[in-house]
């Protein structure tokens, strides 16, 4: 005969803790964070079980299934761990938590399940499963951690702030060694693989696979059923508090012709004094005390050092790893002000964005168009006929073929790329017989410099072939990057 009372008291007599005894009721609606209420309301405890001798037994020994994970000692060790204090420095109002357990618990759970299926076969059927240990642990610890951190617990996977607690057990490897006897061929193969690859011989996935492959009789031959009472409590290996990355989006305007987008260092030698990235990072570090090593800079393409990027600027984002706090609208306004004190760059539209929106930058690299303005000169005096020829050619889209430019062959593979010139127009520069201004709208990825001077005929057609004279680029500006991201911000 089975009842919850029978199961509970039998498990307690074996050496299970209260929560493990209740989670084997297989009732997902019981609040395992407050099992005492359920036990009292349903009159589950036998009088003899609460005598002094049994209480002493449970105080001395860790639970034979969870190794003390669901006992009071576990909560005390979490709250006394110095690493949990780090969680107080995060401004998130909510938290979630996860657990990493020693693999020997898998053996103990498997052993207990086999025992109960034999002891109470009419209750412990294949479809009637106990509450998973990790779920029970969350219900057990969440209130105490919440009270300590002054944050609400959240079960959602979308929660940005997480606490991961890793546990260890002194006898973990000793207990797991029995698996070698159960499936010697599997572990011999694992041993061979370990010589080639780094990894844990008793990795959790391997333990699960071995248990699935091992029949009940073989398991019972090499491991006690029910599991024996352990002599050591589970211990905390590490507590890690971590917040999901924060993403800051914006646009930068580059006013200097002697500035790279990111640090330009070759063989340890700095080729540019600073960069767009470093100027922005410096302000973030000064304002919010965020280390540069915790930041990553990405942009929708890049311009050469000697090319300005004007107009509304180039879209970019910064990924900040494990941020302790979130930024307010006023702080973004102050950050823009600080960066814009630079004479080399300006920023605008700074804002928080979500990870899913970052794909728009990558999509834009392929789909967007760009507007350029180039100051060019010809070898001979430029004629009105040549100006008209450029304007006529630029009325309708046309395709050019570009071999990888000579100037970037050292870092890009040799290939021929087709790019579309959507439109272009030009006009003479007054007072100069050679100079003209070229306005051009192109497909992303077009090498505009090479379209002007031809790159030794590696780009065809080019301005030189269109006008029948050699053309040279004097200066180039990116006027517009036609990507509707991020949204404009008005302060």
């Amino acid at each position: 005969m089975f009842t919850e009372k029978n199961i509970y008291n039998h498990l307690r007599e074996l050496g299970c803790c209260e929560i493990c005894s209740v989670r084997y009721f297989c009732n997902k609606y019981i609040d395992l964070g407050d099992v005492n209420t359920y036990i009292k309301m349903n009159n589950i405890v036998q009088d003899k079980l609460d005598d002094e001798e049994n209480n002493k037994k449970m105080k001395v020994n860790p639970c034979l299934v969870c190794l003390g994970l669901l006992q009071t000692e576990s909560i005390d060790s979490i709250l006394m761990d110095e690493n949990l204090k780090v969680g107080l420095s995060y401004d998130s109002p909510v938290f979630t938590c996860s657990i990493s357990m020693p693999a020997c618990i898998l053996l103990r759970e498997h052993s207990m399940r086999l025992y109960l299926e034999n002891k109470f076969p009419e209750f412990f059927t294949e479809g009637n499963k106990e509450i998973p240990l990790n779920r029970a642990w969350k219900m057990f610890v969440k209130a105490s951690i919440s009270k300590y951190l002054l944050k609400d617990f959240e079960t959602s996977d979308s929660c940005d702030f997480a606490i991961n607690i890793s546990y260890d057990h002194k006898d973990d490897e000793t207990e797991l060694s029995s698996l070698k006897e159960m499936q010697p061929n599997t572990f011999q193969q694992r041993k061979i693989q370990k010589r080639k690859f780094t990894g844990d011989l008793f990795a959790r996935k391997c333990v699960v696979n071995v248990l699935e492959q091992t029949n009940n009789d073989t398991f019972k031959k090499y491991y006690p059923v029910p599991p024996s009472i352990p002599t050591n409590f589970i211990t905390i290996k590490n507590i890690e508090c971590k917040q999901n990355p924060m993403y800051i989006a914006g646009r930068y305007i580059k006013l200097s012709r002697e500035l790279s987008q990111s640090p330009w260092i070759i063989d340890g030698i700095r080729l540019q004094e600073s960069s767009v990235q470093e100027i922005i990072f410096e302000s973030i570090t000064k304002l919010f005390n965020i280390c540069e090593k915790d930041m990553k800079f990405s942009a929708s393409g890049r311009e050469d050092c000697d090319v300005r990027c004007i107009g509304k600027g180039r879209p970019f984002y910064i990924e900040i790893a494990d941020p302790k706090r979130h930024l307010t609208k006023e702080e973004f306004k102050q950050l823009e002000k600080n960066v814009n004190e630079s004479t080399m760059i300006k920023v605008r539209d700074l804002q928080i964005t979500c990870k899913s929106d970052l794909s728009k930058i990558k999509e834009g690299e392929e789909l967007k168009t760009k507007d350029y303005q180039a100051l060019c000169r010809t070898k001979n005096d430029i004629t009105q006929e040549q100006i008209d020829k450029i304007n006529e050619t630029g009325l309708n889209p046309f395709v050019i073929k570009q071999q990888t430019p000579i100037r970037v062959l050292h870092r890009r593979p040799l290939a021929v790329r087709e790019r579309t010139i959507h439109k272009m127009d030009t006009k003479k520069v007054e007072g100069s017989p050679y100079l003209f201004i070229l306005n051009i709208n192109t497909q992303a990825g077009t090498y505009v410099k090479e379209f002007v001077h031809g790159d030794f005929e590696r780009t065809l057609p080019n301005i030189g072939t269109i006008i029948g004279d050699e053309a040279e680029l004097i200066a180039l500006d990116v006027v517009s990057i036609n990507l509707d991201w991020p949204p404009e911000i008005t302060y």
Side-chain angles (χ1 to χ4, degrees):
M1 179 181 177
F2 71 91
T3 63
E4 287 186 346
K5 188 171 186 176
N6 290 342
I7 294 171
Y8 177 85
N9 289 289
H10 184 71
L11 288 173
R12 292 287 280 158
E13 287 172 357
L14 288 176
C16 282
C17 66
E18 287 184 336
I19 297 178
C20 273
S21 299
V22 173
R23 71 186 183 92
Y24 279 104
F25 294 171
C26 306
N27 184 346
K28 64 181 180 180
Y29 298 106
I30 297 176
D31 180 7
L32 296 181
D34 183 20
V35 294
N36 287 329
T37 298
Y38 185 85
I39 291 169
K40 290 177 181 178
M41 285 180 62
N42 293 276
N43 193 28
I44 287 173
V45 179
Q46 288 180 3
D47 294 336
K48 291 183 179 180
L49 190 65
D50 278 340
D51 62 23
E52 185 177 349
E53 182 179 346
N54 279 290
N55 282 334
K56 283 183 178 179
K57 178 181 177 181
M58 290 311 300
K59 287 179 181 177
V60 172
N61 297 307
C63 172
L64 58 80
V65 178
C66 73
L67 299 173
L69 187 68
L70 303 181
Q71 292 172 254
T72 305
E73 289 82 359
S74 175
I75 288 184
D76 293 341
S77 63
I78 293 173
L79 300 181
M80 290 189 294
D81 196 292
E82 289 295 316
N83 289 327
L84 186 64
K85 289 183 178 180
V86 177
L88 295 169
S89 63
Y90 291 83
D91 69 351
S92 174
V94 296
F95 76 98
T96 190
C97 55
S98 60
I99 184 175
S100 177
M101 297 175 284
C104 67
I105 285 183
L106 294 173
L107 271 73
R108 291 182 165 270
E109 287 201 290
H110 189 75
S111 172
M112 180 56 76
R113 181 71 192 193
L114 291 180
Y115 175 77
L116 292 173
E117 286 175 355
N118 182 65
K119 182 71 175 177
F120 303 99
E122 65 273 38
F123 181 76
F124 288 97
T125 60
E126 185 175 345
N128 207 17
K129 300 294 184 182
E130 65 273 13
I131 306 303
L133 188 52
N134 60 341
R135 180 182 170 189
W137 175 81
K138 285 186 181 182
M139 287 191 275
F140 176 57
V141 303
K142 65 181 182 182
S144 297
I145 296 178
S146 178
K147 183 177 180 181
Y148 179 86
L149 295 177
L150 302 177
K151 303 179 190 296
D152 294 327
F153 175 78
E154 191 172 279
T155 57
S156 172
D157 292 336
S158 62
C159 181
D160 285 334
F161 178 55
I163 300 169
N164 178 259
I165 303 180
S166 302
Y167 285 92
D168 204 355
H169 191 254
K170 184 178 180 180
D171 302 316
D172 186 48
E173 192 162 331
T174 301
E175 292 199 23
L176 290 170
S177 62
S178 63
L179 294 172
K180 295 180 181 179
E181 304 296 330
M182 298 177 197
Q183 297 287 340
N185 292 336
T186 297
F187 278 90
Q188 181 61 29
Q189 186 63 31
R190 286 279 295 174
K191 193 173 182 181
I192 293 171
Q193 290 174 347
K194 194 178 179 185
R195 293 173 190 158
K196 300 178 182 179
F197 310 102
T198 58
D200 185 1
L201 190 64
F202 293 117
R204 191 177 184 86
K205 185 177 180 180
C206 178
V207 173
V208 171
N209 289 339
V210 170
L211 292 176
E212 289 176 350
Q213 296 167 16
T214 304
N215 63 53
N216 294 346
D217 290 337
T218 302
F219 183 87
K220 292 174 183 178
K221 181 178 178 181
Y222 295 107
Y223 196 86
V225 177
S228 59
I229 294 178
T231 55
N232 297 296
F233 274 90
I234 199 169
T235 56
I236 292 176
K237 185 178 181 180
N238 184 46
I239 295 180
E240 181 185 39
C241 299
K242 197 165 188 179
Q243 186 145 254
N244 288 339
M246 175 171 64
Y247 299 96
I248 298 176
R251 287 176 175 261
Y252 74 79
I253 297 164
K254 184 164 82 75
L255 304 175
S256 171
R257 297 194 187 277
E258 297 179 346
L259 188 69
S260 57
Q261 185 185 87
S262 55
W264 192 6
I265 302 171
I266 298 178
D267 297 330
I269 300 174
R270 178 178 279 274
L271 302 182
Q272 292 285 340
E273 182 179 343
S274 188
S275 65
V276 173
Q277 172 185 308
E278 289 169 297
I279 293 172
I280 298 173
F281 280 10
E282 183 181 356
S283 288
I284 294 175
T285 299
K286 284 182 179 179
L287 279 176
F288 311 120
N289 196 31
I290 297 172
C291 296
E292 287 193 18
K293 66 180 179 62
D294 293 326
M295 293 184 276
K296 293 181 182 179
F297 183 92
S298 298
S300 180
R302 65 173 62 226
E303 62 285 316
D304 293 336
C305 294
D306 59 351
V307 176
R308 296 191 305 173
C309 183
I310 54 179
K312 291 184 178 180
R314 184 180 296 276
F316 73 92
Y317 72 85
I318 297 169
E319 177 183 335
I320 300 178
D322 193 24
K324 297 294 189 297
R325 54 191 296 270
H326 293 83
L327 305 185
T328 65
K329 184 176 180 180
E330 288 303 313
E331 286 174 322
F332 277 122
K333 188 175 180 180
Q334 183 61 48
L335 177 58
E336 283 193 13
K337 181 180 179 182
N338 283 30
V339 174
N340 292 345
E341 290 176 358
S342 168
T343 58
M344 304 179 82
I345 72 165
K346 307 294 178 186
V347 293
R348 53 174 291 170
D349 302 328
L350 295 183
Q351 58 194 276
I352 290 290
T353 190
C354 57
K355 187 176 182 179
S356 59
D357 278 350
L358 302 183
S359 60
K360 294 178 181 178
I361 272 195
K362 295 300 179 184
E363 292 169 3
E365 289 179 3
E366 298 298 324
L367 303 176
K368 68 177 181 287
T369 62
K370 297 181 184 179
D371 291 308
Y372 294 88
Q373 187 171 82
L375 175 62
C376 311
R377 65 161 293 164
T378 51
K379 182 177 180 181
N380 303 297
D381 290 5
I382 189 166
T383 65
Q384 186 59 47
E385 183 181 356
Q386 289 171 318
I387 293 291
D388 293 341
K389 183 64 175 176
I390 293 174
N391 289 334
E392 182 182 334
T393 303
L395 287 175
N396 298 301
F398 62 95
V399 174
I400 63 174
K401 293 184 178 181
Q402 295 193 298
Q403 292 186 54
T404 304
I406 293 172
R407 63 187 172 92
V408 299
L409 266 177
H410 65 285
R411 56 186 170 87
R412 294 197 176 174
L414 179 62
V416 177
R417 300 171 179 85
E418 291 189 352
R419 293 292 184 263
T420 300
I421 307 298
H422 293 286
K423 60 182 178 180
M424 66 179 179
D425 62 75
T426 189
K427 64 179 180 180
K428 284 185 176 182
V429 174
E430 292 185 12
S432 171
Y434 309 104
L435 299 180
F436 63 97
I437 298 291
L438 177 68
N439 297 304
I440 180 171
N441 175 265
T442 74
Q443 178 185 352
T446 303
Y447 293 106
V448 176
K449 290 180 177 179
E450 282 67 27
F451 174 64
V452 173
H453 60 65
D455 197 27
F456 301 101
E457 305 302 305
R458 296 168 65 84
T459 290
L460 291 171
N462 56 64
I463 292 298
T465 60
I466 291 172
I467 64 174
D469 193 5
E470 293 180 21
E472 180 184 349
L473 187 138
I474 305 299
L476 180 64
D477 289 339
V478 181
V479 176
S480 177
I481 295 170
N482 302 313
L483 177 63
D484 190 23
W485 187 90
E488 289 191 34
I489 298 293
T490 303
Y491 291 117

